Amino acid sequence: EEITDLLPYHEVAHQWWGNEVGSASYRDTWIEEAIANYLALMYTDSKKAGLLNYWLSEFRNELLRPVPQTDQTVADIGPLDLGARLASSRTPRAYDIIVYDKGAWVIHMLRNMLRDPSAKTSADQDAKFEALLRGILKDYRYHALTTADLQHAVEKSMTPGMDLEGGHSLNWFFDEWVHDTGIPRYSLDFKTAPHGQEFLITGKLKQERVPESFTEAVPIYATPRDGKPIFLGRVVTNGPETRFRLTSPSRPLRLLIDPQNT
């Protein structure tokens, strides 16, 4: 199903990502495969809404699949920039799953961090992401692209909300998602109390399966008694447990962690 649904568009995308802009080394090949895979997802989703989330969920399941006779998942085998060395007799599909599937997730996360949710149309919301891709194609046409080049290109377009460590740097993102392994698991404890015309929500966001230094801006939503989930804010993690204080216009029935899969 994946071959017939995605492969034709993935290969078309290689006319630009892979043919016009190439990889500097085996450590950078993930870029062209990840972008081609994600553009295929975006195109299929434009024809049938919901396919993007469907395939991203399938990719995540593959990444979290246990490796037989170990305590590892496929995602633990190695980082994106390990390239062809990810494949082995024990995990022969690790290269495909990490480079294509995790790579697509990395591009998806970058797209969502660059989005402008206040823009009126979906195209306007994605304007910075599309400008990023077009800019790379222009600047590196018929040249080799490195992972460092990609990071610098994204940093030129980054929003203040992406600058988690200060210094206008995305080292935190590329160190965690490209140069290292680990997919965080999140859970939370919270309580609510009246606070003027609103409700104060205090709690702890728990982060597991990643190093203590792992940082991420995790979006939290509230589920009211009626209506769709309400975005409350982002909690920037700083270890296994991060305390937070948020406010909600109504008492939430529960809190949701990243329901938009960003």
Side-chain angles (χ1 to χ4, degrees):
E1 184 179 3
E2 182 174 354
I3 291 177
T4 57
D5 284 356
L6 299 179
L7 186 60
Y9 315 119
H10 176 106
E11 297 304 331
V12 168
H14 274 319
Q15 291 187 66
W16 295 272
W17 302 97
N19 291 351
E20 285 199 3
V21 174
S23 302
S25 77
Y26 74 92
R27 288 189 175 276
D28 310 299
T29 304
W30 73 271
I31 301 173
E32 62 191 58
E33 298 297 356
I35 294 179
N37 218 29
Y38 191 69
L39 292 177
L41 293 176
M42 289 181 66
Y43 180 76
T44 56
D45 193 68
S46 73
K47 299 301 179 183
K48 184 178 179 181
L51 283 180
L52 176 64
N53 278 334
Y54 167 77
W55 281 115
L56 287 173
S57 295
E58 290 293 301
F59 292 169
R60 181 165 50 197
N61 290 339
E62 288 295 311
L63 286 162
L64 296 177
R65 190 180 301 280
V67 176
Q69 301 177 348
T70 75
D71 59 356
Q72 292 182 312
T73 66
V74 176
D76 297 325
I77 295 301
L80 270 171
D81 63 356
L82 199 58
R85 294 163 62 194
L86 289 162
S88 69
S89 58
R90 171 168 286 180
T91 54
R93 292 197 62 236
Y95 173 83
D96 290 344
I97 293 172
I98 293 173
V99 168
Y100 288 73
D101 298 358
K102 182 181 180 181
W105 265 106
V106 166
I107 303 303
H108 179 67
M109 289 188 283
L110 289 173
R111 175 195 179 191
N112 278 281
M113 287 193 292
L114 290 168
R115 291 195 96 180
D116 178 5
S118 65
K120 293 183 179 180
T121 68
S122 179
D124 289 339
Q125 290 176 354
D126 278 328
K128 289 177 73 72
F129 177 68
E130 293 189 11
L132 168 70
L133 298 186
R134 293 180 187 275
I136 294 173
L137 289 175
K138 178 182 177 182
D139 293 342
Y140 292 92
R141 180 165 280 116
Y142 307 127
H143 288 81
L145 183 70
T146 69
T147 299
D149 293 331
L150 174 64
Q151 178 176 338
H152 294 153
V154 181
E155 286 172 344
K156 291 179 182 177
S157 303
M158 66 188 288
T159 66
M162 297 167 70
D163 198 8
L164 298 190
E165 294 182 324
H168 202 76
S169 169
L170 283 175
N171 284 341
W172 67 271
F173 181 85
F174 280 80
D175 284 348
E176 292 169 357
W177 293 107
V178 176
H179 306 309
D180 204 348
T181 62
I183 297 177
R185 315 297 201 271
Y186 292 110
S187 59
L188 51 79
D189 296 323
F190 73 97
K191 59 183 180 180
T192 62
H195 185 69
Q197 300 297 312
E198 299 179 311
F199 287 86
L200 177 65
I201 304 169
T202 57
K204 293 184 295 185
L205 179 66
K206 300 177 182 179
Q207 179 175 265
E208 301 176 295
R209 297 294 301 272
V210 287
E212 287 193 18
S213 60
F214 194 97
T215 186
E216 190 64 69
V218 182
I220 305 295
Y221 288 70
T223 301
R225 294 188 178 277
D226 51 9
K228 63 181 182 179
I230 301 169
F231 175 67
L232 300 181
R234 297 179 183 273
V235 178
V236 178
T237 59
N238 56 12
E241 292 187 352
T242 303
R243 295 187 177 276
F244 64 85
R245 290 168 58 91
L246 300 168
T247 57
S248 173
S250 59
R251 183 185 294 274
L253 292 178
R254 59 184 180 135
L255 299 186
L256 302 177
I257 303 171
D258 188 28
Q260 304 295 328
N261 283 326
T262 59

